[in-house]
Amino acid sequence: MEHTHEVEQMCVVAKGAKNGPAPIPQEGKWTQVKEVKDISGLTHGIGWCAPQQGTCKLTLNVKDGIIEEALVECLGCTGMTHSAAMAAEILPNKTILEALNSDLVCDAINTAMREIFLQIVYGRTQTAFSEGGLPIGAGLEDLGKGQRSVIATMYGTKAKGPRYLEMAEGYVLEIGLDGDDEIIGYKFVNLGVMMDNIVKGMDPAQALSKATGTYGRFAEAVKVINPRKE
């Protein structure tokens, strides 16, 4: 290692403080992280692109510095779905540092990687105080039944008011209005559950019926409308 002339002329002064890095909480332990392999945890990061046309939620399960599981969810940009497919191949089996310096194709996914990296290395993970952390596969469980991302899609105008299009429960088929034309409930179909039943051999009409439900005071509605047509 090369030193400048000025540094070479200096005498040695001993360094007194040798306390090391501050410990961070990781999977039920307090850890002094000195190397990449010291890092473990499961958590989430949110990213966005420069034009803010789309957003990404990234979930990583890291064990001993290696990404063992990755869940990539995106919204709002058609091109990002292909980038997410590539990111799902790129991320597993990389160290958390390698992943930070990998091109994940989409700016929103790259930003999500940056944000999740900060949470993980500073000990702000979802599993910080969970002894042993979570098993590989826990990220997939975030999707719930039917393994579909939780989506909310709402639309509204000054002239015609709000329209519920998709809720956590699923695709909204109808919204129910009271006598004042205010929304009091909705009927939905859980597309993940419906498709699971169809794949298992259930008649599509029956699968649709079994996956359909209502929320709120839908049964009391004075008027029912299709939010996409009416």
Side-chain angles (χ1 to χ4, degrees), residues 33-89:
V33 174
K34 298 179 181 179
E35 300 180 42
V36 172
K37 65 181 180 63
D38 298 330
I39 297 172
S40 295
L42 180 146
T43 196
H44 317 280
I46 300 295
W48 56 95
C49 60
Q52 301 195 32
Q53 183 179 350
T55 185
C56 169
K57 175 190 170 189
L58 179 62
T59 303
L60 298 181
N61 198 347
V62 180
K63 301 289 185 184
D64 301 323
I66 302 293
I67 296 171
E68 297 286 350
E69 176 186 17
L71 172 64
V72 189
E73 302 173 82
C74 56
L75 175 71
C77 174
T78 54
M80 199 196 306
T81 62
H82 296 81
S83 301
M86 287 183 273
E89 292 188 51

Side-chain angles (χ1 to χ4, degrees), residues 199-216:
V199 169
K200 291 174 183 176
M202 185 178 292
D203 176 76
Q206 184 183 1
L208 174 63
S209 177
K210 286 184 69 69
T212 299
T214 63
Y215 184 87

